[in-house]
Amino acid sequence: GKWKIAFSPETENEYPAIGVFEQHGNRAFGTFLTKTGDYRYLEGNVSGDSLMLSCFDGSHVFLFKAKVTGNRIEGRFWSGSHWQENWVGVRDENFELPDPNTLTFIKSGYSQLDFSFQNLEGKTVSLNDETFRNKVVIVQIMGSWCPNCMDETAYLVSLHEKFNQQGLEVVSLAFEKSDNPEINVKSLNRLKEHFNIPYEILLAGKASKTEAAKRLPMLNHVLSFPTSIFIDKKGTVRKIHTGFSGPGTGEYYKEFVEETDKFVAQLLIE
């Protein structure tokens, strides 16, 4: 079922989430959705009143353990060996997170997005370039280290393939962890090859929400990697989507894909 979850409850770091779980015999599947993204595909077991879920995607190891008592669940979450926190929840089919299209916005005094960064070949690329003129543009704020960014990238590649001939362009602004540009370029080229990315990836800065906000001062903040900015043919920012609910979220992902495909199609015919 669907659960209203609080991570790090009753602390200054408390944050809400939705837990969506399925049980088939003693097998369990599901994920957690937060304002900044989801915890991807989780799989595990149910034994008596105990629930155990985990995932390993090649670089991230997540482990969730919990006790279920009636309509209440209480557990602990481990992310690798560097982070752990408590979480609690109650069954609630009606609970929803804040609208991800309202969390990040253009600040008063600004009307458009503007940036100029180098691509992986060292060429400076600007949103004012001819490539983006009179086009619908999606600007993705991301990093090669970010699991939700990988799920969103897979979707954006398919969206680009579907609508590029009609005038859609995508550009990714990468905020990377290394101080060595060569390492960052290598990581991003590996990403580009893995997903067969046909659009530009730009080296935008250090992997920090604060750094990203400084590089894009027209935004009120950067709350999440990824964040996607939808710009119409006139250069007006029409929507900013914070976070990404990937395929592991089931119906949430399907609903997002349907809405976004429809929204992009509408922008293209304006």
Side-chain angles (χ1 to χ4, degrees):
K2 181 177 174 182
W3 298 71
K4 178 182 178 181
I5 304 293
F7 283 92
S8 295
E10 300 180 4
T11 73
E12 62 180 13
N13 297 317
E14 180 176 336
Y15 61 96
I18 296 173
V20 284
F21 311 121
E22 293 182 25
Q23 182 179 347
H24 302 282
N26 68 338
R27 303 299 303 278
F29 310 87
T31 193
F32 295 87
L33 295 83
T34 75
K35 289 192 297 183
T36 58
D38 67 274
Y39 283 104
R40 310 187 88 193
Y41 292 102
L42 301 174
E43 184 177 351
N45 300 92
V46 176
S47 178
D49 62 355
S50 296
L51 169 67
M52 292 162 283
L53 294 166
S54 66
C55 84
F56 174 56
D57 64 10
S59 59
H60 300 85
V61 180
F62 297 147
L63 173 63
F64 298 84
K65 288 186 177 182
K67 294 285 186 181
V68 183
T69 307
N71 288 330
R72 181 174 172 81
I73 191 168
E74 186 170 350
R76 195 152 181 83
F77 163 49
W78 290 263
S79 177
S81 59
H82 65 283
W83 176 255
Q84 54 181 289
E85 62 183 333
N86 292 328
W87 57 280
V88 297
V90 293
R91 289 185 75 96
D92 188 342
E93 295 295 328
N94 299 314
F95 177 65
E96 295 295 344
L97 295 169
D99 184 349
N101 298 315
T102 64
L103 302 175
T104 305
F105 52 83
I106 296 286
K107 292 191 296 190
S108 177
Y110 294 92
S111 60
Q112 297 183 329
L113 193 70
D114 187 31
F115 59 79
S116 182
F117 301 116
Q118 288 190 344
N119 65 11
L120 303 185
E121 289 74 44
K123 177 186 175 184
T124 299
V125 175
S126 167
L127 194 56
N128 297 315
D129 290 348
E130 185 65 32
T131 302
F132 307 113
R133 194 163 297 158
N134 299 318
K135 299 287 185 66
V136 173
V137 183
I138 301 175
V139 179
Q140 180 198 33
I141 301 172
M142 53 79 75
S144 64
W145 46 271
C146 158
N148 290 125
C149 299
M150 302 303 96
D151 289 336
E152 185 181 61
T153 295
Y155 168 65
L156 290 177
V157 167
S158 67
L159 195 69
H160 182 274
E161 181 179 354
K162 184 175 182 179
F163 290 117
N164 178 243
Q165 293 298 317
Q166 299 175 44
L168 173 68
E169 293 291 343
V170 180
V171 58
S172 293
L173 308 185
F175 291 84
E176 295 297 292
K177 290 191 172 183
S178 176
D179 291 319
N180 186 329
E182 292 183 3
I183 292 176
N184 292 332
V185 168
K186 184 177 180 180
S187 296
L188 291 166
N189 271 321
R190 188 162 58 240
L191 174 78
K192 191 167 187 173
E193 182 179 350
H194 177 77
F195 286 102
N196 196 25
I197 298 172
Y199 48 80
E200 293 276 24
I201 301 176
L202 310 184
L203 293 160
K206 191 76 172 167
S208 155
K209 296 173 187 177
T210 303
E211 173 75 6
K214 287 180 181 178
R215 294 300 185 100
L216 299 165
M218 62 289 300
L219 301 181
N220 64 319
H221 58 206
V222 174
L223 184 64
S224 171
F225 294 97
T227 294
S228 290
I229 304 165
F230 294 76
I231 303 170
D232 67 18
K233 294 177 182 179
K234 296 179 180 179
T236 302
V237 174
R238 298 286 292 273
K239 182 168 73 172
I240 302 178
H241 187 91
T242 296
F244 187 74
S245 296
T249 65
E251 291 301 319
Y252 286 91
Y253 174 71
K254 292 178 183 177
E255 183 178 321
F256 169 81
V257 169
E258 289 176 4
E259 289 181 358
T260 304
D261 279 27
K262 187 181 299 183
F263 182 67
V264 170
Q266 179 61 42
L267 292 180
L268 288 167
I269 64 175
E270 289 182 357

